């Protein structure tokens, strides 16, 4: 029995080794099929994928990133960059420069297929409705555009499949270049950062939330208190549970306000009271007005100067000029933080008979 067991074990080992060898062969075969240099010149060529970009990176003034979902256009406008495909919203150069540098640094590592019918296997087919490939077009002055197709990327070691649009030859390149076809990725998405300790009062749907210090304990931090203002809103509109949630939510709601989308202000705007908030801060009242558009919530912002604290007016006047021309799409979680304030808890289920 021991002999039979030993023989069976050896047979299993041989089968396992055969399977491993076969798998390695398949992988090697796939890599070989994609590695199809047309001649020794291609096999021996090296250097950067886009040598023309090496001396032109500082002069690039237009970048277009195309994918199956659309085109993001970034343009230099005087001393600043704007997202041309988002109505000229200001771009963040710190998010643009790494993209240009990444493409300029791509170094040819190995030539792969030069057959157009096999480009899709590397994510390098163009046009490509799947979204795997990205076409990056860069312009530097009046020079011809530099057009690069970027495909799949690998992290270990960092490699990117790429080719020049005008050429069928594909390359595995050292380095990673993975541009995103989302215009917000090239902006500073933070509209305002207003810490709760800078807020004097918040008004929302007739509820007024204010900071209250304890005179008996001046060293203790102030607490937030709430009350329903006189007006059309009845006191029972804000039950205790909803007021508690409002005190915990509203003062810090503007502590970090970011957006998922942006557009120029349009002619049509119908704000909803449930999406409108006012913040009294030093020198101004910051007003947020929201409007639903399908599942999305868009907001407009403005700062209204107040004469009680002139020191803060300049800060908010500058901010006001930067946000007033625009409408911002809120992240879903940020909008839901407001709608939850008015969601009444469900009554407990009746016991079964």
């Amino acid at each position: 029995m021991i002999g039979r067991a030993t023989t069976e074990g050896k047979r299993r080992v041989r089968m396992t080794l055969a399977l491993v060898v076969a798998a390695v062969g398949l992988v090697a075969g796939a890599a070989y099929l994609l590695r199809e240099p047309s001649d020794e010149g291609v096999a021996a060529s090296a250097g950067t994928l886009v040598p023309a970009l090496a001396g032109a990176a500082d002069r690039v003034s237009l970048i277009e990133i195309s994918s199956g979902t659309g085109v993001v256009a970034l343009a230099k406008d005087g001393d600043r960059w704007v997202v041309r495909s988002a109505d000229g919203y200001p771009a963040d150069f710190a998010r643009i420069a790494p993209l240009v540098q990444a493409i300029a640094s791509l170094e040819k590592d190995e030539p792969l297929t030069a057959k157009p019918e096999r480009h899709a296997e590397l994510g390098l087919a163009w046009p490509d409705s799947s979204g795997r490939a990205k076409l990056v077009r860069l312009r530097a002055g009046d020079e011809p555009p530099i057009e690069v197709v970027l495909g799949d990327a690998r992290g270990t070691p960092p490699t990117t499949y790429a080719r020049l649009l005008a050429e069928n030859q594909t390359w595995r390149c050292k380095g990673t270049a993975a541009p995103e076809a989302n215009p917000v990725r090239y902006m500073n998405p933070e509209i305002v950062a207003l810490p709760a300790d800078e807020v004097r009062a918040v008004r929302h749907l007739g509820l007024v939330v204010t900071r209250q210090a304890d005179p008996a304990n001046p060293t203790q931090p102030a607490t937030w208190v709430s009350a329903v203002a006189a007006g059309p809103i009845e006191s029972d509109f804000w039950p205790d549970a909803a007021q508690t949630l409002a005190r915990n939510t509203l003062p810090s709601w503007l502590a970090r306000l970011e957006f998922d989308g942006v557009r120029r202000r349009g002619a049509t705007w119908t704000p909803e009271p449930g999406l409108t908030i006012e913040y009294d801060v030093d020198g101004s009242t910051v007003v947020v007005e929201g409007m639903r558009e399908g599942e999305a919530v868009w907001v407009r912002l403005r700062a209204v100067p107040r004469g009680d604290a002139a020191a803060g007016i300049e800060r908010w006047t500058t901010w006001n000029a930067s946000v007033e021309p625009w409408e911002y799409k809120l992240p879903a979680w940020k909008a839901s933080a407001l709608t939850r304030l008015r969601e009444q808890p469900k009554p407990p289920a009746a016991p079964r008979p």
Side-chain angles (χ1 to χ4, degrees):
M1 291 181 66
I2 295 175
R4 285 200 300 273
T6 302
T7 301
E8 180 66 17
K10 291 180 178 179
R11 187 178 69 83
R12 291 180 178 176
V13 169
R14 287 196 296 271
M15 289 181 64
T16 301
L17 288 174
L19 289 172
V20 170
V21 170
V24 171
L26 288 172
V27 173
Y32 178 78
L33 289 174
L34 288 171
R35 187 183 184 283
E36 296 168 338
S38 57
D39 53 39
E40 291 301 319
V42 172
S45 62
T48 58
L49 177 71
V50 194
L53 192 56
D58 293 339
R59 303 196 311 277
V60 169
S61 57
L62 177 66
I63 304 171
E64 293 178 345
I65 304 161
S66 303
S67 73
T69 58
V71 180
V72 175
L74 312 168
K76 196 171 184 181
D77 181 14
D79 294 332
R80 63 173 189 156
W81 280 81
V82 300
V83 184
R84 182 177 290 178
S85 54
D87 295 326
Y89 192 83
D92 184 353
F93 181 70
R95 296 167 181 251
I96 297 175
L99 169 61
V100 178
Q101 181 60 36
I103 295 174
S105 300
L106 287 177
E107 183 179 346
K108 296 176 182 176
D109 185 39
E110 183 178 9
L112 299 176
T113 184
K115 296 179 178 179
E117 64 270 21
R118 306 215 63 179
H119 286 173
E121 298 177 43
L122 300 172
L124 289 174
W126 192 262
D128 174 36
S129 59
S130 73
R132 283 177 67 189
K134 303 289 190 301
L135 172 63
V136 181
R137 180 179 290 110
L138 306 101
R139 286 188 175 275
D142 296 330
E143 299 174 20
I146 298 168
E147 298 175 311
V148 186
V149 183
L150 300 171
D152 297 342
R154 300 288 182 266
T156 308
T159 56
T160 301
Y161 297 132
R163 69 181 178 93
L164 299 179
L165 179 63
E167 300 178 4
N168 290 327
Q169 179 64 55
T170 63
W171 296 88
R172 183 181 68 189
C173 297
K174 296 178 182 178
T176 301
E180 297 190 56
N182 179 353
V184 177
R185 299 297 183 226
Y186 305 97
M187 308 171 184
N188 180 357
E190 186 176 272
I191 315 171
V192 60
L194 180 63
D197 58 8
E198 293 186 19
V199 176
R200 296 183 178 185
V202 189
R203 291 181 294 278
H204 176 60
L205 284 174
L207 187 70
V208 181
V209 180
T210 55
R211 186 191 299 275
Q212 186 177 76
D214 184 355
N217 296 288
T219 60
Q220 295 299 313
T223 58
W224 292 99
V225 297
S226 59
V228 179
I233 301 296
E234 299 293 337
S235 58
D236 59 359
F237 184 81
W238 283 102
D240 290 344
Q243 289 198 37
T244 298
L245 184 57
R247 291 194 299 270
N248 292 333
T249 302
L250 293 178
S252 59
W253 193 78
L254 280 184
R256 185 183 177 119
L257 184 63
E258 298 185 343
F259 60 88
D260 279 349
V262 62
R263 65 191 183 193
R264 288 273 179 186
R265 289 199 181 194
T268 303
W269 186 255
T270 308
E272 299 180 20
L275 297 172
T276 298
I277 321 172
E278 295 183 356
Y279 287 82
D280 288 345
V281 296
D282 188 19
S284 293
T285 295
V286 178
V287 181
V288 182
E289 293 180 337
M291 180 182 74
R292 291 190 184 278
E293 200 171 275
E295 296 295 322
V297 172
W298 291 81
V299 296
R300 290 181 175 183
L301 301 104
R302 70 179 189 276
V304 181
R306 294 199 329 272
D308 60 340
I313 290 179
E314 182 177 354
R315 168 195 173 187
W316 290 106
T317 299
T318 301
W319 174 82
N320 196 52
S322 69
V323 300
E324 265 206 314
W326 308 99
E327 295 170 359
Y328 299 93
K329 181 183 176 184
L330 291 184
W333 69 270
K334 197 70 171 179
S336 65
L338 292 182
T339 58
R340 282 198 304 267
L341 297 179
R342 294 293 308 134
E343 291 177 355
Q344 302 302 315
K346 297 180 180 179
R352 294 183 178 180

